[in-house]
Amino acid sequence: MSHDTSDGGQASSVPVAPNTHVDPHNPAGRKSFFGQPGMLANLFSVEMWERFSFYGMQALVLYYMYYAVSDGGLGIDQGVAAGIVGAYGGTVYLCSILGGWIADRLLGSERTMLASAVLIMAGHIALALIPSVAGLTIGLLCIAAGSGGLKTTCVNLVGTLYDREDPRRDAGFSIYYMGVNIGGFLGPLLTGFAWNTWGFHFGFGLAAFFMAIGLIQYVLTRKGLPASVHTVANPLPRSQYGKWIGIAVAAVVIILVLLFTGLLNPGNLADAVVLVVLVATILLFTIMLRDKDLSPEEHSRVLAFIPMFIATAAFFALFQQQFTVLAIYADTRLNLNFLGYEFPPSWVQSINPVFIILFGMVFAAMWTKLGTRQPSTPVKFGMALLAIGVAFLLFITQANTASVFVGWIVLVLFFATMGELFLSPVGLSLSTKLAPRKFPVQMVALNNLAVALGTALSGSLAGFYSRENEVGYFGTMGAITIVLGIIMLLAAKPILRLMRGIR
């Protein structure tokens, strides 16, 4: 969404000191953040604490489910637990559709984000204070719904800080993405330490505490956002309120019937989410492509997003296995003893954010330095698929090792992170650039749907993993993804033509 930062056209009258360089994208000389709009610092900080709580909780929840009751867990079957984690992760991104719809049609991005943050904190409190499966269910449902709304709207808020043609845009999203990963780095470390020292519920409680800090931070700084964040892009007519309330009630009733009849159960949750995401994706693409208000340019750009959607889903089907297969691998296959200290397996999930922190700014600087000479987005996506494919092939080298040196998982996650930096922040930026003006948030929701599909698949695929078939499992996953990466590189130019001037 393009945003006018000219203060009502008066920016040009601001006096400039002699010999002072004037940034053409910040003519008023406003306070900046690493050369970016100043408000990016506030969104960076808010998202950092929210991600701390999200990943801090997610680092523990798989182990909480499948550890024995005597060890503080719930004693759920390991494969079923991995499927639930995949389904939960997919539902987070699936809920981004709901968040995007509420933002575009009812509340606007800013108010939707605030309500979502409150819901997330309630979910963490439920996990910390309510015992057994009841606390798990309430907590995961609240966090999934809240995170879906926050993911979509926060990205859109970052997008409002830039004009579409601003060359700093990709770099700004990379910096924002680094904030996500500072939280993602600290969360598993501190909640893992609390789990190791005092038990699971103290770890969940720590996540709730830092989510509260993030929420307070946001409330104190929200006035600095552009006025456009309060705009409801496509307001829902009041005459349609009854229809949509009926649809919501019907959806809840259907889910409850499926649960009580056993057609929907913990063992098939991930597969169910995959199916729902596919249906939602087809519906959302169809709604946008058939909208008569779209210009030919906007229509072409939506079409261009389809292969990017497929590439994103394929990437995250492997990448999100760090919370399913790789988490089990860390617990059962890695030697976690370092200098006589046995660290919790959840700490492995802080490795990826470390690489993001180290290389996020490097990639941001690289894209800024290259400017219009940087690779096009389809080429970046192809490189990401190649990197994650190589990461999975590396597992094969340790298939016959009884106790795997933790350095191997570091190497695997290095390649996975390089792929993530080529795809994830760039994909967020791309979804805001290709978005039709009528659907600014729902286009970001489509990007999140691609991640939802991949994340749910990571739970479904986890059922095929076992210690005995590591070569077949990791080899097949890696080879298929590398082939998809090559196809994406070959198709880069046709996709670029559909993007109509967007790179």
PDB file of all heavy atoms in Angstrom, residues 314-326:
ATOM      1  N   ALA A 314       6.563 -25.281  -0.855  1.00  0.00           N
ATOM      2  CA  ALA A 314       7.557 -26.359  -0.935  1.00  0.00           C
ATOM      3  C   ALA A 314       8.728 -26.094   0.008  1.00  0.00           C
ATOM      4  O   ALA A 314       9.207 -26.999   0.711  1.00  0.00           O
ATOM      5  CB  ALA A 314       8.059 -26.498  -2.372  1.00  0.00           C
ATOM      6  N   PHE A 315       9.172 -24.841   0.050  1.00  0.00           N
ATOM      7  CA  PHE A 315      10.288 -24.492   0.936  1.00  0.00           C
ATOM      8  C   PHE A 315       9.927 -24.752   2.396  1.00  0.00           C
ATOM      9  O   PHE A 315      10.680 -25.394   3.140  1.00  0.00           O
ATOM     10  CB  PHE A 315      10.678 -23.020   0.741  1.00  0.00           C
ATOM     11  CG  PHE A 315      11.764 -22.558   1.671  1.00  0.00           C
ATOM     12  CD1 PHE A 315      13.095 -22.743   1.347  1.00  0.00           C
ATOM     13  CD2 PHE A 315      11.448 -21.952   2.884  1.00  0.00           C
ATOM     14  CE1 PHE A 315      14.110 -22.332   2.226  1.00  0.00           C
ATOM     15  CE2 PHE A 315      12.446 -21.538   3.755  1.00  0.00           C
ATOM     16  CZ  PHE A 315      13.777 -21.734   3.424  1.00  0.00           C
ATOM     17  N   PHE A 316       8.759 -24.278   2.809  1.00  0.00           N
ATOM     18  CA  PHE A 316       8.400 -24.386   4.225  1.00  0.00           C
ATOM     19  C   PHE A 316       7.976 -25.790   4.631  1.00  0.00           C
ATOM     20  O   PHE A 316       7.990 -26.116   5.817  1.00  0.00           O
ATOM     21  CB  PHE A 316       7.339 -23.350   4.588  1.00  0.00           C
ATOM     22  CG  PHE A 316       7.926 -21.982   4.815  1.00  0.00           C
ATOM     23  CD1 PHE A 316       7.872 -21.018   3.823  1.00  0.00           C
ATOM     24  CD2 PHE A 316       8.557 -21.677   6.005  1.00  0.00           C
ATOM     25  CE1 PHE A 316       8.434 -19.768   4.021  1.00  0.00           C
ATOM     26  CE2 PHE A 316       9.128 -20.434   6.220  1.00  0.00           C
ATOM     27  CZ  PHE A 316       9.069 -19.467   5.212  1.00  0.00           C
ATOM     28  N   ALA A 317       7.612 -26.641   3.664  1.00  0.00           N
ATOM     29  CA  ALA A 317       7.340 -28.039   3.996  1.00  0.00           C
ATOM     30  C   ALA A 317       8.587 -28.694   4.576  1.00  0.00           C
ATOM     31  O   ALA A 317       8.501 -29.594   5.421  1.00  0.00           O
ATOM     32  CB  ALA A 317       6.871 -28.795   2.762  1.00  0.00           C
ATOM     33  N   LEU A 318       9.759 -28.236   4.145  1.00  0.00           N
ATOM     34  CA  LEU A 318      11.022 -28.739   4.698  1.00  0.00           C
ATOM     35  C   LEU A 318      11.495 -27.879   5.862  1.00  0.00           C
ATOM     36  O   LEU A 318      11.870 -28.382   6.923  1.00  0.00           O
ATOM     37  CB  LEU A 318      12.095 -28.789   3.609  1.00  0.00           C
ATOM     38  CG  LEU A 318      12.182 -30.092   2.802  1.00  0.00           C
ATOM     39  CD1 LEU A 318      10.908 -30.317   1.998  1.00  0.00           C
ATOM     40  CD2 LEU A 318      13.396 -30.070   1.873  1.00  0.00           C
ATOM     41  N   PHE A 319      11.463 -26.563   5.673  1.00  0.00           N
ATOM     42  CA  PHE A 319      12.019 -25.664   6.679  1.00  0.00           C
ATOM     43  C   PHE A 319      11.309 -25.801   8.023  1.00  0.00           C
ATOM     44  O   PHE A 319      11.953 -25.788   9.084  1.00  0.00           O
ATOM     45  CB  PHE A 319      11.928 -24.221   6.175  1.00  0.00           C
ATOM     46  CG  PHE A 319      12.547 -23.216   7.095  1.00  0.00           C
ATOM     47  CD1 PHE A 319      13.918 -23.028   7.112  1.00  0.00           C
ATOM     48  CD2 PHE A 319      11.762 -22.462   7.968  1.00  0.00           C
ATOM     49  CE1 PHE A 319      14.504 -22.109   7.974  1.00  0.00           C
ATOM     50  CE2 PHE A 319      12.343 -21.551   8.823  1.00  0.00           C
ATOM     51  CZ  PHE A 319      13.718 -21.371   8.820  1.00  0.00           C
ATOM     52  N   GLN A 320       9.978 -25.929   8.023  1.00  0.00           N
ATOM     53  CA  GLN A 320       9.223 -26.002   9.274  1.00  0.00           C
ATOM     54  C   GLN A 320       9.373 -27.345   9.981  1.00  0.00           C
ATOM     55  O   GLN A 320       8.870 -27.513  11.097  1.00  0.00           O
ATOM     56  CB  GLN A 320       7.747 -25.709   9.019  1.00  0.00           C
ATOM     57  CG  GLN A 320       7.467 -24.275   8.548  1.00  0.00           C
ATOM     58  CD  GLN A 320       7.711 -23.247   9.630  1.00  0.00           C
ATOM     59  OE1 GLN A 320       8.861 -22.948   9.976  1.00  0.00           O
ATOM     60  NE2 GLN A 320       6.645 -22.687  10.173  1.00  0.00           N
ATOM     61  N   GLN A 321      10.083 -28.286   9.368  1.00  0.00           N
ATOM     62  CA  GLN A 321      10.338 -29.546  10.051  1.00  0.00           C
ATOM     63  C   GLN A 321      11.315 -29.385  11.208  1.00  0.00           C
ATOM     64  O   GLN A 321      11.533 -30.318  11.981  1.00  0.00           O
ATOM     65  CB  GLN A 321      10.821 -30.606   9.059  1.00  0.00           C
ATOM     66  CG  GLN A 321       9.720 -31.080   8.125  1.00  0.00           C
ATOM     67  CD  GLN A 321      10.128 -32.263   7.274  1.00  0.00           C
ATOM     68  OE1 GLN A 321      10.770 -33.201   7.758  1.00  0.00           O
ATOM     69  NE2 GLN A 321       9.751 -32.248   6.001  1.00  0.00           N
ATOM     70  N   GLN A 322      11.877 -28.184  11.354  1.00  0.00           N
ATOM     71  CA  GLN A 322      12.695 -27.949  12.544  1.00  0.00           C
ATOM     72  C   GLN A 322      11.851 -28.025  13.813  1.00  0.00           C
ATOM     73  O   GLN A 322      12.375 -28.241  14.904  1.00  0.00           O
ATOM     74  CB  GLN A 322      13.416 -26.602  12.445  1.00  0.00           C
ATOM     75  CG  GLN A 322      12.509 -25.389  12.404  1.00  0.00           C
ATOM     76  CD  GLN A 322      13.303 -24.102  12.264  1.00  0.00           C
ATOM     77  OE1 GLN A 322      14.156 -23.796  13.106  1.00  0.00           O
ATOM     78  NE2 GLN A 322      13.037 -23.341  11.215  1.00  0.00           N
ATOM     79  N   PHE A 323      10.518 -27.892  13.685  1.00  0.00           N
ATOM     80  CA  PHE A 323       9.633 -27.993  14.844  1.00  0.00           C
ATOM     81  C   PHE A 323       8.987 -29.374  14.954  1.00  0.00           C
ATOM     82  O   PHE A 323       8.266 -29.634  15.916  1.00  0.00           O
ATOM     83  CB  PHE A 323       8.548 -26.921  14.773  1.00  0.00           C
ATOM     84  CG  PHE A 323       9.098 -25.528  14.662  1.00  0.00           C
ATOM     85  CD1 PHE A 323       8.874 -24.766  13.519  1.00  0.00           C
ATOM     86  CD2 PHE A 323       9.855 -24.981  15.679  1.00  0.00           C
ATOM     87  CE1 PHE A 323       9.393 -23.485  13.412  1.00  0.00           C
ATOM     88  CE2 PHE A 323      10.385 -23.708  15.581  1.00  0.00           C
ATOM     89  CZ  PHE A 323      10.147 -22.955  14.439  1.00  0.00           C
ATOM     90  N   THR A 324       9.191 -30.235  13.962  1.00  0.00           N
ATOM     91  CA  THR A 324       8.624 -31.592  14.010  1.00  0.00           C
ATOM     92  C   THR A 324       9.762 -32.615  13.929  1.00  0.00           C
ATOM     93  O   THR A 324      10.289 -33.038  14.960  1.00  0.00           O
ATOM     94  CB  THR A 324       7.595 -31.793  12.877  1.00  0.00           C
ATOM     95  OG1 THR A 324       8.201 -31.518  11.596  1.00  0.00           O
ATOM     96  CG2 THR A 324       6.408 -30.882  13.059  1.00  0.00           C
ATOM     97  N   VAL A 325      10.179 -32.981  12.724  1.00  0.00           N
ATOM     98  CA  VAL A 325      11.205 -34.017  12.554  1.00  0.00           C
ATOM     99  C   VAL A 325      12.535 -33.611  13.177  1.00  0.00           C
ATOM    100  O   VAL A 325      13.174 -34.403  13.879  1.00  0.00           O
ATOM    101  CB  VAL A 325      11.390 -34.349  11.052  1.00  0.00           C
ATOM    102  CG1 VAL A 325      12.597 -35.262  10.859  1.00  0.00           C
ATOM    103  CG2 VAL A 325      10.138 -35.018  10.494  1.00  0.00           C
ATOM    104  N   LEU A 326      12.968 -32.371  12.945  1.00  0.00           N
ATOM    105  CA  LEU A 326      14.268 -31.952  13.485  1.00  0.00           C
ATOM    106  C   LEU A 326      14.241 -31.855  15.003  1.00  0.00           C
ATOM    107  O   LEU A 326      15.264 -32.090  15.667  1.00  0.00           O
ATOM    108  CB  LEU A 326      14.707 -30.617  12.874  1.00  0.00           C
ATOM    109  CG  LEU A 326      15.541 -30.718  11.582  1.00  0.00           C
ATOM    110  CD1 LEU A 326      14.709 -31.291  10.445  1.00  0.00           C
ATOM    111  CD2 LEU A 326      16.084 -29.356  11.183  1.00  0.00           C
TER     112      LEU A 326
END
